[in-house]
Amino acid sequence: MSGWSSFLLLDEVAESADRCIKCNMCNTACPVMPATDLFPGPKYCGPQLQRFRAGDPVEEWVDYCSGCGACTRACPTGVMVAELNARARARIYERRGVPLRNRLISSSELLGRLGAPVAPVANRMLASPAARALAERVLGIAREAPLPRFNRRGLRAALAQVQQPETGERVAYFHGCATGYYEPWVGVAAVRVLNRHGIRVEVPEQSCCGLPFLSNGDFRTGRRYAQRLVRQLLPAVRAGLPIVATSTSCSFALKSEYEHVLGMREPEVKEVAAATRDVFEFLRERSWLGELELRPGVLHRRVLYHGPCQLRSHGIGEPALEVLEGLAGAEVESSWVECCGIAGTYGLKAEKYGIARRVGEALVARVEELRPDLVACDSETCRWHIAAMTGLPVRHPIELLDQAQTALEAP
Amino acid sequence: MPPQRSPYDVVVVGLGLAGLVAGLVAARRGARTLVVGRGQGGLRQRHGALDVLGYHRGLVASPERELAGFVSERPEHPYALTGAALGEALELVREAGADQGLDLVGDLGRNHLVATAAGTLRPSCLVPRTMEVSWPGARVLVAGLAGYRDLWPELCATQLPVSAAGFDLHVEARAVSLEEPSPSPRHLDGLALARCFDRADFRERVAVGLRPHLDDALLVALPAALGVDDSGAVPDLEARLERKVIELPSLPPSVPGLRLEQALMGALRRAGGRTLVGPAARVVVERGGVRRIELASSGHPTPLSVGRVVLATGGLRGGGLWLERDGRVRETTAGLPAVPPQGEPGHSFLELARWLAPVGVRVDQRMRPLDEHGRVAVEGLHCCGGLLAGADRAGEKSADGVACATALVAGREATA
């Protein structure tokens, strides 16, 4: 079982359990605990059970951890609770075998590729209540769970029509599967915004980051994807290009989870992590440095911005919110809510969808309180979930920025 | 590469009481303010009342009257530096709380005695309305709920009259344990219980269970978990029981502490300040001044250029100070000089705690850190709260007053 050494490895993540002082701060931050009695909470599943994880997997409840990371962020002594949970989950599935359902919902890239040529048919099928009921019974994918629509035209085809500037600083764009296959317009908006600020965007060959496999307990496949993506991005990093990303969960995998969940200690992983920026983090950093003047924009909308849980784990604040607040006419409020509930693929599962909805109630309450025209959120699965819960349009903030800047350019 | 433009005028490090007050003061004075901390701040582990000065040669009845004598005896104490700021800081917290729906009562004029789940009475100055009691002649029904172990009503009811007698008060207490309603069968800490009390149907069932036991009780004491979000939970219970209802603080997670934290964070955000829970911060000092702050973000640090820094990182318990094996004390965020413990550590836990109590960073009246010669150690930086040297917070019951008063001064100085 050589490939699994990282779970048993006593690295700093495993050792961080010893810093637990039982203060319960993680439990106060956990959004899943109040939503279900099936999850004993981060303190119990993380640092406490870590003591017993030298041998066989000892528990199954840890699978109810959504992986939102609120516990790790809340811990005042530096225990990496969510990371411990992700590893514990993988050991359960290593033993039992990863269920077909988990592998299927992890395969965003494969599905995106297979679905593209038959998009209209596939979308009709996904919209059919009968097909969804069947998928719930046979596979355990919740029938109400929000799924993306397949897109015939991927990001590369869409970008072929964007005329990029010929000179200027270059960045490498890491788009992730959702933008690559389902919502290419997010990537187009990112490229347009970057171009507008004199930055040329290259799109290196890239595969899935493997994050869905990490959070579904399939580390073997996850690590394969991770190694491949690091290999694919490394030339750009070594050429001095920042890796700019629009999916905050995928970029968090690059920045942190390869090392802290998978235990990948290779220097190349650190190199890529150090070069990776969320697109708004990149814009904000360059403007702070005085190297880039953020173009003005106008957006006459009331926007509720929800910073997704995995963006919060970046530890960079909410750069998209800060940029959106600068737009003329825009009324922007932050949700201040820890997690929308979906947490990647967690809420797609039949036995967890109800939990995801209950976790999401805090966000729904904020929507009802503020009555925004639309919601902005940097993470794709959150957008689909929030749209399904609220019926409001939910956009990536880069789309709004592009729209706002375009509005000022129009003759 | 340091940023050239300053995104923030003031960065406060620490999300406890001192950090939130300093941030609130700075934000209200118009500064672009960020309050950042490694993990949640300490308020969720404290009782939610504000201790100012509980003991000085015995119980302190009025902090206001006691303070002049206290600071003349203890010139190294933070209170000797803050002057009128203490009263202003308490008023600021009271008013910010009221604005966010949190009812805090009291002023420097007199201490309240707050009953705890252990049946002790602790002197505290600014207290949640739900802990305010007029004790003389009080007849208390202490009520526990099945499954919630952090209030053992018999212990509390036995101890409460003894504690009261220690302050020459006559208090009677009885205990009752409700088997029904049994709250959520799992997760029964204070926060989970408080979420039950947010629901009116649960409160009604508690009231039904309690009514047969009320008799001549004037007060009903329940765990300090009577609702997280519903600030009307206590008045609602009082109406149902036709008795005054009080909350008994117990083990963390502390719901009253969480309410205070949420109120201060809400006030801070309303004033335009930002908060960031998670990354540790490091202050980079060059040539005796703050050069920048680096947040330990994922993948790579986030450098922030900053006008002024307020350190509210706490003491040994909060992580702002670190005790080396050789007895030296290290300040963890900016490498400031810190006063080490004096004399011998003693043998018991209490002696050790007292030995460590006054360690920390020494400051001037503007909360600037001083070196061993009394010169300002780093420019552009102000310290407050548990980080400061010279207070025996647990012995004096002064932690919150020291935090608020020094934070108010630090927040002002950082925006001066």
Side-chain angles (χ1 to χ4, degrees), chain B residues 239-254:
Chain B
R240 292 176 198 271
L241 294 169
E242 298 176 326
R243 299 288 190 287
K244 182 171 169 62
V245 170
I246 62 165
E247 291 190 296
L248 301 166
S250 185
L251 298 181
S254 159

Side-chain angles (χ1 to χ4, degrees), chain B residues 159-383:
Chain B
Q159 190 58 38
L160 200 51
V162 180
S163 306
F167 298 128
D168 297 324
L169 294 165
H170 177 73
V171 169
E172 293 170 23
R174 285 185 291 123
V176 58
S177 273
L178 291 188
E179 294 304 317
E180 272 292 314
S182 173
S184 155
R186 301 189 184 191
H187 304 165
L188 216 54
D189 59 17
L191 186 55
L193 185 59
R195 288 179 179 131
C196 296
F197 273 103
D198 273 336
R199 302 198 322 258
D201 64 308
F202 184 82
R203 298 195 294 260
E204 173 55 24
R205 286 161 62 209
V206 170
V208 167
L210 282 176
R211 273 183 207 121
H213 304 280
L214 290 173
D215 292 332
D216 62 346
L218 301 171
L219 283 174
V220 178
L222 283 155
L226 305 182
V228 194
D229 298 322
D230 186 354
S231 60
V234 172
D236 176 78
L237 277 167
E238 290 181 329
R240 292 176 198 271
L241 294 169
E242 298 176 326
R243 299 288 190 287
K244 182 171 169 62
V245 170
I246 62 165
E247 291 190 296
L248 301 166
S250 185
L251 298 181
S254 159
V255 176
L258 179 68
R259 292 182 198 131
L260 179 56
E261 178 199 280
Q262 295 300 302
L264 290 173
M265 277 204 178
L268 175 62
R269 286 167 182 160
R270 175 174 287 193
R274 291 187 196 281
T275 54
L276 176 51
V277 180
R282 191 170 72 93
V283 177
V284 180
V285 174
E286 275 173 21
R287 289 189 297 277
V290 172
R291 179 78 179 128
R292 66 178 181 277
I293 281 193
E294 279 184 7
L295 303 184
S297 311
S298 293
H300 49 82
T302 300
L304 298 175
S305 86
V306 57
R308 296 289 179 92
V309 173
V310 175
L311 286 191
T313 44
L316 289 168
R317 217 178 60 128
L321 300 172
W322 186 263
L323 181 68
E324 301 287 0
R325 284 174 187 277
D326 62 6
R328 279 178 307 134
V329 171
R330 188 161 57 80
E331 190 283 313
T332 56
T333 309
L336 300 173
V339 178
Q342 310 293 321
E344 292 302 312
H347 299 286
S348 71
F349 178 77
L350 278 180
E351 284 172 326
L352 187 68
R354 186 140 300 176
W355 179 66
L356 290 173
V359 304
V361 173
R362 211 152 59 86
V363 293
D364 66 5
Q365 285 188 333
R366 298 172 57 195
M367 300 299 132
R368 295 180 301 178
L370 301 176
D371 63 16
E372 62 269 35
H373 309 295
R375 290 182 305 235
V376 174
V378 175
E379 295 286 349
L381 186 146
H382 304 271
C383 302

Side-chain angles (χ1 to χ4, degrees), chain B residues 53-61 66-74 123 395-397:
Chain B
L53 185 63
Y55 292 103
H56 176 232
R57 290 180 291 180
L59 181 74
V60 171
E66 194 72 22
L67 272 165
F70 178 78
V71 299
S72 71
E73 282 175 37
R74 307 280 308 276
E396 300 155 2
K397 297 271 177 280

Side-chain angles (χ1 to χ4, degrees), chain A residues 25 28 33-34 36-37 39 73-76 252 255 273-274 276-277 281 288-289 313-315 321-322 325 336, chain B residues 2 4-5 7-8 38-40 44-45 184 186-187 191 195 252-253 269 274 276 278-279 297-300 302 304:
Chain A
M25 289 308 101
T28 66
M33 270 184 90
T36 177
D37 276 341
F39 181 52
R73 300 191 291 277
C75 180
F252 183 60
K255 282 180 171 186
T276 301
R277 301 284 184 283
E281 178 189 18
W288 283 355
L289 285 165
S313 292
H314 287 229
L321 175 72
E322 290 168 31
E325 280 175 342
W336 303 121
Chain B
Q4 326 253 299
R5 294 186 198 177
Y8 298 108
R38 182 182 75 166
Q40 292 288 355
R44 294 179 188 199
Q45 301 179 46
S184 155
R186 301 189 184 191
H187 304 165
L191 186 55
R195 288 179 179 131
R269 286 167 182 160
R274 291 187 196 281
L276 176 51
S297 311
S298 293
H300 49 82
T302 300
L304 298 175

Side-chain angles (χ1 to χ4, degrees), chain A residues 270-349:
Chain A
K270 283 192 200 295
E271 275 181 73
V272 171
T276 301
R277 301 284 184 283
D278 167 67
V279 64
F280 282 96
E281 178 189 18
F282 174 80
L283 292 170
R284 184 182 74 171
E285 183 180 277
R286 290 305 157 102
S287 81
W288 283 355
L289 285 165
E291 293 173 359
L292 173 154
E293 187 84 37
L294 264 178
R295 294 293 183 86
V298 59
L299 185 76
H300 289 291
R301 289 280 187 284
R302 288 164 55 82
V303 183
L304 174 66
Y305 173 76
H306 173 64
C309 54
Q310 270 126 356
L311 168 73
R312 291 169 192 273
S313 292
H314 287 229
I316 55 174
E318 299 179 318
L321 175 72
E322 290 168 31
V323 172
L324 291 185
E325 280 175 342
L327 297 175
E331 285 178 58
V332 191
E333 275 274 356
S334 172
S335 74
W336 303 121
V337 168
E338 199 72 59
C339 176
C340 74
I342 197 81
T345 54
Y346 179 86
L348 302 186
K349 297 160 190 161

Side-chain angles (χ1 to χ4, degrees), chain A residues 158-197:
Chain A
L159 282 182
Q161 284 157 24
V162 177
Q163 187 70 41
Q164 293 215 44
E166 315 229 313
T167 57
E169 188 193 347
R170 293 181 304 153
V171 300
Y173 178 36
F174 167 56
H175 49 70
C177 300
T179 302
Y181 301 104
Y182 305 103
E183 301 183 331
W185 51 85
V186 171
V188 172
V191 171
R192 284 166 51 92
V193 167
L194 289 164
N195 285 173
R196 201 174 279 129
H197 293 87

